[in-house]
Amino acid sequence: MEHLFLDPKNLPAWLDLERLAAQPFDLTDPASLAGQRIADYRCRSASFKLLYATQRADNSTLTALRELADQSGAIKQFLMMKQGATMNRISGFPSENRQVLHTASRDLFRETPDHPEATAQARRECEKLKSFLDDLDHGRLTNAKGEPFTDLINIGIGGSDLGPRATYLALRAYRQGQRRVHFISNVDPDDARAILADLDLSRTLANVVSKSGTTLETLTNEELVRTAYLRAGLDPRRHFLAVTGQGSPMDNQDNYLRSFYMFDYIGGRYSTTSMVGGVLLAFALGYENFLEFLRGAHAIDLAAENPDLDRNIPLLLALLGIWNRNFLGHQTLAILPYSQALVRFVAHLQQCDMESNGKSVTRLGSPVRHQTGPIVWGEPGTNGQHAFYQLLHQGTTIVPAEFIGFDQSQYGEDQEIKGSSSQEKLVANLLAQTLALAVGKADGNPNRAFAGNRPSSLLLAKRLTPRTMGELLSIYENKIAFQGFVWNINSFDQEGVQLGKVLAQDLLPVLVDQHRGQGLQTPGNILHRAIVEAAATEEP
Amino acid sequence: MEHLFLDPKNLPAWLDLERLAAQPFDLTDPASLAGQRIADYRCRSASFKLLYATQRADNSTLTALRELADQSGAIKQFLMMKQGATMNRISGFPSENRQVLHTASRDLFRETPDHPEATAQARRECEKLKSFLDDLDHGRLTNAKGEPFTDLINIGIGGSDLGPRATYLALRAYRQGQRRVHFISNVDPDDARAILADLDLSRTLANVVSKSGTTLETLTNEELVRTAYLRAGLDPRRHFLAVTGQGSPMDNQDNYLRSFYMFDYIGGRYSTTSMVGGVLLAFALGYENFLEFLRGAHAIDLAAENPDLDRNIPLLLALLGIWNRNFLGHQTLAILPYSQALVRFVAHLQQCDMESNGKSVTRLGSPVRHQTGPIVWGEPGTNGQHAFYQLLHQGTTIVPAEFIGFDQSQYGEDQEIKGSSSQEKLVANLLAQTLALAVGKADGNPNRAFAGNRPSSLLLAKRLTPRTMGELLSIYENKIAFQGFVWNINSFDQEGVQLGKVLAQDLLPVLVDQHRGQGLQTPGNILHRAIVEAAATEEP
């Protein structure tokens, strides 16, 4: 496989792009952002459309980007990934050395999936989930008093929290029977207390999610929550569910009402379409809505194979991102959904993108010679317009943006005020921002002038539903993987989180001693002692 | 006042700093991060302590930064601001031309406030608030059935949403009588629907907040919510409160149960300590807790006058930020609170900082010759450790970080698991991260090596309370103002949000026609029509 681990700076298209970047397309020229360009610079995959006329790219740029994708074998690597190649590794060095098969968890809708074995495993878990929900729905599974469960607490962190949480919030409008999901993630004890304070535990399930079964925060919170159940006179075994790897320390059926498996070949941040997201989403939205979500993700997994760039949103988004990051030199990416339901989706993408592509070593173990993943951030519009958009329009640093919008609202309940509905106002604002950033405005008052030439794209669909949410998630998962393939980095490990963990373990006994007034008796190196002492609250 | 509007690049200290930046302090040298340095590089203001040994700054850097503050008259400008100088202006051009007196809204605790008139106005509003709360608490103000109000919906956006929301979430542990606050901000109609779905409106107050009384999103949401009350057979005049400017279109006592005033000289993003935050915070936390919050903010307003850099956290934070932004060239700033209660505080700071300092014109109307406000982002730890910290440790872009932590939890309910409490684990992780980023780690496996030299600070207090929350807010408000003073920009206007507003108004009729199947009859320029047509959902 190493023949595909190519340094992108050695590819002819990379040199072409460097040349083109000396004079990027000028969006402020009145002739340049014509109607025909807006109509032409469109791409479609499944239910989504991408409008990208407001990027600083012209036909030459797009040709060179297409060649970059070809020369780096981006789609070829994507197919290999889906078929089970060991893409999670660093050649020549110890690494996770795993397959990357989150796509298999939604490849349930055709006779010949890309990786039959992984899909069969996913199907088995889905069947278990369906049977669990049937038992809940038909009153075969109740609390000790025979009452139905109305709430579920999800206990997980990182990949076992952000994607599932973002998706649940995005789809709350589709809840069945008003079932509610709550989330405890942080080791901060106040996180658990604030959630537990408002719940009737007797009617609440607790879903503990950790692939390794050893995640510090999750095990700690599981203990806190188990204690709360016991104090309430409830038997945790009637309430606790587990989602974990087979054979992990948590894989102990005696402790849990039901257990679901996740697999080594699915990374935490790519696990929303596995049982990690599945249990809570199916609980809240119903099994059929969960399947619709998977159907949407799968549709995009197929679209991402399309060599026609006009029909492959994930690849095109990846390439435009590379253009902005590596050639126009922008360090960040704002993702700006015009949908309040997507309020935590950007936090999930922040994880998925930055943990995947915040790397500086190639898959051959040498330092990268180019920039890798950008800093991803953002908040829903129109809220952001009243917050940080000032800097987007007039700051000294240019921030490329990806806008996300929908033609219709979820609830369909709206009101016409001054000749337009709220949803129409929302969409008008979305379209206006992309134009304003691009074209700018001259003004005799320098403080009221806008330089323009701030690139953005628009990702649009009719409505945010379980299906389009699955598509949206998959667009970004695949975009991120494509960027990693081109950048020749391993987008599927996270070695960069290890050092902090190790240091925290070393510091903890020093801190506990100091905190409990026992001085600093514990052996510990001078740095640990110094920072613990300095952090102590006495007057410096 | 123009004699204080100095171009920082002309200051001698700026040149010194440019020279020093060629060889910034090396945190990875085993000799450099000694215990003494950690002990020495501490600053204290009110209840907070700032540890900054893990910045790439040494004594020469600090001397030059201190001189930069002196030469730019940072503290002098801050005092002028508090005393009512017209700091919100661009010399020689039309501008807002206003005083900047948010500090007066908390200058309630001494006989001779800096601006007696503004403080007298603030005090009058506080008295009105106190009397309103007394009426609620003693049953003189109830719903039509004589029942107490248990909930409040805050309807506002931007400054009328983010700061109040972040503060409410930060202090929920201190609620009195389980009163709850909900927030509707986005013009997305689903935002209002999702909130209204779960509320008993008969026991709910609605607080409408808009200084101008003309904010599109807020007036639209007010209408949506009024309609919901009417449909529920409730009289909105028994439920609706207003916070607005005197004489604004919303200043109509017939429509509201009670009205509170905010003033022209307080910008939206600096208004949390005015009635904008006051009404909902006092409703939820009680009037005394709100006063404590103001007391904390005021204590830092005093500390920010201190010329001793070891006693002035806001100024030191501002200067270290300038060092990272202008001299070490970092474009972003991660703010990472190790407290789940601060879950939305960074979104507020993102607004406060980026809307204030995302500018490219000096106060004399010429283009700035240096970088201004960074991109501010972040999420609470330890959650972030399982999300984007990979990039912080091993990405190709260096991200300076400001950590925030507390020695004790809010609820004080915790559990010892494997020899340490959750709170101790939380703090150990916080301290470990700042060390890991700074010192790095060599490793034979390049994918497991850490370059280090990634700068951060630690902001620490004993516990997050109404008082320390007020301090924390004020630390950042004043930090941002100090940076604007040094950068010679107007941190108090937001002309950059105007163009998008104007374009949205132009686009709206085009969109409404298209959306309602009436073709594109409305006159509108070609760009508007093109983007609306391209965004329409038919196949491209």
Side-chain angles (χ1 to χ4, degrees):
Chain A
M1 190 193 313
E2 273 72 358
H3 69 284
L4 283 172
F5 291 178
L6 300 172
D7 186 334
K9 290 198 88 163
N10 292 338
L11 301 175
W14 192 276
L15 301 176
D16 292 343
L17 288 161
E18 279 181 341
R19 189 174 42 76
L20 291 166
Q23 255 188 314
F25 186 74
D26 183 3
L27 295 164
T28 66
D29 181 335
S32 65
L33 201 60
Q36 195 56 47
R37 179 179 159 95
I38 294 178
D40 288 346
Y41 280 47
R42 276 194 292 184
C43 169
R44 189 174 190 109
S45 297
S47 316
F48 274 89
K49 182 186 312 182
L50 178 73
L51 272 63
Y52 60 100
T54 43
Q55 292 286 349
R56 299 197 68 185
D58 57 16
N59 289 339
S60 313
T61 324
L62 290 165
T63 301
L65 287 172
R66 193 176 292 115
E67 285 166 358
L68 181 67
D70 288 345
Q71 290 165 12
S72 59
I75 291 179
K76 200 180 297 176
Q77 294 185 64
F78 178 69
L79 289 170
M80 288 171 60
M81 178 190 92
K82 294 213 294 182
Q83 289 161 6
T86 308
M87 302 301 279
N88 176 359
R89 69 193 183 94
I90 304 286
S91 182
F93 292 94
S95 65
E96 293 193 350
N97 221 33
R98 286 180 187 158
Q99 295 167 294
V100 177
L101 283 169
H102 50 280
T103 49
S105 67
R106 55 238 191 179
D107 195 357
L108 307 172
F109 308 100
R110 51 180 182 170
E111 285 190 14
T112 50
D114 281 324
H115 196 282
E117 195 188 334
T119 288
Q121 288 186 305
R123 193 167 275 128
R124 270 197 294 280
E125 297 307 312
C126 281
E127 291 302 321
K128 282 161 62 180
L129 179 59
K130 185 165 188 299
S131 138
F132 168 63
L133 286 163
D134 281 346
D135 289 348
L136 286 179
D137 292 345
H138 296 96
R140 291 189 292 269
L141 207 58
T142 64
N143 71 6
K145 291 194 213 154
E147 297 163 334
F149 293 106
T150 55
D151 293 74
L152 181 147
I153 306 170
N154 195 69
I155 304 171
I157 193 165
S160 303
D161 171 55
L162 289 168
R165 191 195 295 241
T167 306
Y168 168 73
L169 293 175
L171 299 176
R172 251 193 315 190
Y174 301 90
R175 278 187 300 166
Q176 303 213 332
Q178 298 301 309
R179 284 184 184 152
R180 299 182 305 170
V181 181
H182 316 268
F183 297 86
I184 298 176
S185 52
N186 203 323
V187 75
D188 179 350
D190 290 336
D191 193 13
R193 288 301 156 204
I195 297 294
L196 293 172
D198 288 335
L199 278 178
D200 173 4
L201 288 184
S202 78
R203 304 187 62 164
T204 301
L205 295 164
N207 185 41
V208 188
V209 187
S210 168
K211 182 160 69 174
S212 67
T214 62
T215 312
L216 170 82
E217 287 88 343
T218 301
L219 296 187
T220 302
N221 279 321
E222 179 177 7
E223 274 304 301
L224 283 177
V225 176
R226 276 187 189 270
T227 305
Y229 273 87
L230 291 170
R231 282 194 194 144
L234 299 164
D235 177 3
R237 280 171 305 181
R238 285 196 77 115
H239 294 260
F240 273 62
L241 312 170
V243 181
T244 191
Q246 213 160 355
S248 94
M250 264 175 61
D251 184 15
N252 180 346
Q253 316 252 344
D254 292 346
N255 289 337
Y256 301 97
L257 180 63
R258 297 283 167 100
S259 288
F260 300 92
Y261 287 129
M262 55 198 296
F263 304 96
D264 248 9
Y265 49 70
I266 301 186
R269 57 192 176 274
Y270 294 97
S271 67
T272 309
T273 53
S274 76
M275 285 302 109
V276 171
V279 173
L280 70 93
L281 291 174
F283 173 79
L285 312 175
Y287 185 72
E288 283 309 314
N289 273 331
F290 175 60
L291 276 191
E292 271 296 286
F293 173 67
L294 297 187
R295 243 180 231 114
H298 177 60
I300 293 293
D301 291 341
L302 294 181
E305 299 176 5
N306 199 327
D308 179 355
L309 213 51
D310 291 340
R311 292 279 161 173
N312 189 336
I313 289 181
L315 181 57
L316 182 54
L317 263 187
L319 294 170
L320 292 168
I322 288 170
W323 173 243
N324 284 321
R325 177 74 169 128
N326 296 100
F327 300 95
L328 303 187
H330 305 307
Q331 295 186 357
T332 76
L333 169 67
I335 298 178
L336 306 168
Y338 275 60
S339 160
Q340 191 62 24
L342 292 176
V343 61
R344 293 305 285 162
F345 185 55
V346 181
H348 169 59
L349 294 182
Q350 195 172 57
Q351 169 197 232
C352 199
D353 198 325
M354 295 172 70
E355 192 162 65
S356 295
N357 290 340
K359 306 284 165 71
S360 44
V361 167
T362 71
R363 290 178 290 185
L364 297 171
S366 47
V368 294
R369 301 190 297 143
H370 53 272
Q371 297 295 315
T372 58
I375 290 141
V376 173
W377 61 284
E379 292 283 336
T382 59
N383 289 14
Q385 292 178 205
H386 294 260
F388 52 80
Y389 278 41
Q390 165 68 39
L391 186 146
L392 301 190
H393 286 287
Q394 290 189 323
T396 53
T397 297
I398 290 180
V399 179
E402 289 173 6
F403 292 97
I404 300 170
F406 302 92
D407 187 52
Q408 300 175 6
S409 68
Q410 290 185 310
Y411 289 89
E413 292 176 43
D414 205 334
Q415 197 165 329
E416 182 161 325
I417 294 166
K418 294 188 184 166
S420 60
S421 69
S422 287
Q423 184 65 23
E424 287 166 340
K425 292 184 181 79
L426 181 67
V427 175
N429 273 279
L430 165 67
L431 300 180
Q433 288 298 328
T434 193
L435 290 181
L437 288 166
V439 299
K441 178 169 86 70
D443 199 300
N445 184 333
N447 200 36
R448 293 176 185 166
F450 294 78
N453 265 330
R454 290 161 191 237
S456 67
S457 301
L458 274 170
L459 201 48
L460 298 168
K462 189 168 170 190
R463 186 189 288 227
L464 184 60
T465 62
R467 177 132 187 174
T468 55
M469 185 61 198
E471 294 183 16
L472 188 61
L473 180 78
S474 179
I475 284 173
Y476 275 97
E477 286 181 357
N478 293 330
K479 172 201 170 183
I480 292 162
F482 278 132
Q483 291 191 329
F485 296 147
V486 174
W487 283 329
N488 192 29
I489 57 177
N490 180 0
S491 301
F492 309 106
D493 68 356
Q494 56 281 322
E495 296 287 356
V497 306
Q498 293 306 321
L499 178 57
K501 273 192 204 173
V502 171
L503 283 180
Q505 279 162 8
D506 294 351
L507 266 166
L508 194 53
V510 187
L511 182 83
V512 168
D513 273 6
Q514 210 286 337
H515 204 227
R516 299 178 186 190
Q518 295 160 19
L520 290 163
Q521 306 304 322
T522 317
N525 78 36
I526 193 163
L527 198 56
H528 292 168
R529 295 172 64 127
I531 193 142
V532 168
E533 281 178 335
T537 48
E538 89 287 5
E539 187 79 1
Chain B
M1 186 195 311
E2 274 72 358
H3 70 283
L4 283 172
F5 291 178
L6 300 172
D7 185 335
K9 289 198 86 163
N10 291 337
L11 301 175
W14 192 277
L15 300 176
D16 292 343
L17 288 162
E18 280 181 340
R19 190 175 41 75
L20 291 167
Q23 255 188 314
F25 186 75
D26 182 3
L27 295 164
T28 65
D29 181 336
S32 65
L33 201 61
Q36 196 56 46
R37 179 178 158 96
I38 294 177
D40 287 346
Y41 279 48
R42 276 194 293 184
C43 170
R44 190 173 189 111
S45 296
S47 315
F48 274 90
K49 180 187 312 182
L50 178 72
L51 273 62
Y52 60 99
T54 42
Q55 292 284 350
R56 299 198 65 186
D58 58 16
N59 289 339
S60 311
T61 323
L62 290 165
T63 301
L65 287 171
R66 193 177 290 112
E67 285 166 359
L68 181 68
D70 289 346
Q71 290 165 12
S72 58
I75 291 177
K76 200 179 296 174
Q77 295 185 65
F78 179 70
L79 290 170
M80 288 171 61
M81 178 190 91
K82 294 212 294 182
Q83 289 160 6
T86 308
M87 302 301 278
N88 175 0
R89 70 194 181 93
I90 304 287
S91 183
F93 292 94
S95 65
E96 293 194 349
N97 222 33
R98 288 180 185 157
Q99 297 168 293
V100 178
L101 284 170
H102 52 277
T103 48
S105 66
R106 55 240 192 178
D107 195 357
L108 308 171
F109 308 100
R110 51 183 182 167
E111 285 190 13
T112 51
D114 281 322
H115 195 283
E117 195 189 333
T119 286
Q121 288 186 304
R123 192 168 274 129
R124 271 197 294 280
E125 297 306 312
C126 281
E127 290 304 321
K128 281 161 62 182
L129 179 61
K130 183 166 189 301
S131 139
F132 168 62
L133 285 163
D134 281 346
D135 288 350
L136 285 179
D137 293 345
H138 296 96
R140 291 189 294 268
L141 208 56
T142 64
N143 71 5
K145 292 193 213 156
E147 298 162 336
F149 293 106
T150 55
D151 292 75
L152 181 147
I153 306 171
N154 195 69
I155 304 171
I157 194 165
S160 302
D161 171 55
L162 288 168
R165 190 196 295 242
T167 306
Y168 168 72
L169 292 175
L171 298 176
R172 251 191 317 190
Y174 301 89
R175 279 187 299 166
Q176 301 212 333
Q178 297 302 305
R179 283 183 186 153
R180 298 182 305 168
V181 181
H182 316 267
F183 297 85
I184 298 176
S185 52
N186 202 324
V187 75
D188 179 349
D190 290 336
D191 193 12
R193 289 301 155 204
I195 298 294
L196 294 173
D198 288 336
L199 279 177
D200 173 4
L201 289 184
S202 76
R203 303 186 65 163
T204 301
L205 294 164
N207 185 41
V208 188
V209 189
S210 168
K211 182 161 69 172
S212 67
T214 63
T215 311
L216 169 82
E217 287 87 343
T218 301
L219 296 188
T220 302
N221 279 320
E222 179 177 7
E223 274 304 300
L224 282 178
V225 176
R226 275 188 190 270
T227 304
Y229 273 86
L230 291 170
R231 282 194 193 144
L234 300 164
D235 177 3
R237 281 170 304 182
R238 286 197 79 116
H239 294 261
F240 273 62
L241 312 169
V243 181
T244 192
Q246 214 160 354
S248 93
M250 264 175 60
D251 185 15
N252 179 347
Q253 315 250 345
D254 292 345
N255 289 337
Y256 300 98
L257 180 64
R258 298 283 168 97
S259 288
F260 301 91
Y261 287 130
M262 54 197 296
F263 304 96
D264 248 10
Y265 49 67
I266 300 186
R269 56 191 175 272
Y270 294 97
S271 66
T272 308
T273 53
S274 76
M275 285 303 108
V276 171
V279 173
L280 69 94
L281 291 174
F283 173 79
L285 313 175
Y287 185 73
E288 281 310 314
N289 274 331
F290 175 60
L291 276 191
E292 270 297 287
F293 172 67
L294 297 186
R295 242 179 231 114
H298 177 60
I300 293 292
D301 292 341
L302 294 180
E305 299 176 5
N306 199 326
D308 179 355
L309 214 50
D310 292 339
R311 291 280 161 173
N312 189 336
I313 289 181
L315 181 56
L316 183 54
L317 262 188
L319 294 169
L320 291 168
I322 288 170
W323 172 243
N324 284 320
R325 177 75 169 127
N326 297 101
F327 301 95
L328 303 188
H330 304 308
Q331 295 188 357
T332 76
L333 169 66
I335 298 178
L336 306 168
Y338 275 61
S339 160
Q340 191 62 24
L342 292 175
V343 61
R344 294 305 286 162
F345 186 55
V346 181
H348 169 59
L349 294 181
Q350 195 173 55
Q351 168 194 235
C352 200
D353 198 323
M354 294 173 70
E355 193 162 65
S356 294
N357 290 340
K359 305 284 165 71
S360 44
V361 167
T362 71
R363 291 178 290 185
L364 298 171
S366 48
V368 294
R369 300 191 297 144
H370 52 273
Q371 297 294 318
T372 58
I375 290 142
V376 174
W377 61 282
E379 292 283 337
T382 60
N383 290 13
Q385 292 178 204
H386 293 260
F388 52 80
Y389 278 41
Q390 165 69 38
L391 186 147
L392 302 189
H393 286 286
Q394 289 189 322
T396 52
T397 298
I398 290 180
V399 179
E402 288 173 10
F403 292 96
I404 301 170
F406 302 92
D407 188 53
Q408 299 175 6
S409 68
Q410 289 185 310
Y411 290 89
E413 292 176 44
D414 206 335
Q415 196 164 330
E416 182 161 325
I417 295 167
K418 293 189 184 165
S420 60
S421 68
S422 287
Q423 184 65 24
E424 286 165 341
K425 292 183 181 81
L426 181 68
V427 174
N429 273 279
L430 165 68
L431 300 179
Q433 288 298 327
T434 194
L435 290 181
L437 288 167
V439 299
K441 178 170 85 72
D443 198 298
N445 184 334
N447 200 35
R448 292 176 184 167
F450 294 78
N453 264 331
R454 290 162 190 236
S456 67
S457 300
L458 273 170
L459 201 48
L460 298 167
K462 189 170 172 190
R463 186 190 288 228
L464 184 60
T465 63
R467 179 135 188 168
T468 55
M469 185 63 199
E471 294 183 15
L472 188 61
L473 180 78
S474 179
I475 284 173
Y476 276 96
E477 286 181 357
N478 293 330
K479 171 201 171 185
I480 292 162
F482 278 131
Q483 290 191 329
F485 296 148
V486 174
W487 283 328
N488 191 31
I489 56 177
N490 180 0
S491 303
F492 308 107
D493 66 359
Q494 55 282 323
E495 296 286 357
V497 306
Q498 294 306 320
L499 178 57
K501 272 191 205 174
V502 171
L503 284 182
Q505 280 162 8
D506 295 349
L507 266 166
L508 194 52
V510 187
L511 181 82
V512 168
D513 273 5
Q514 211 286 337
H515 204 228
R516 297 178 186 189
Q518 294 159 22
L520 290 162
Q521 305 305 321
T522 318
N525 78 39
I526 192 164
L527 198 57
H528 292 168
R529 296 170 64 129
I531 193 145
V532 167
E533 282 180 333
T537 46
E538 89 288 4
E539 188 79 357

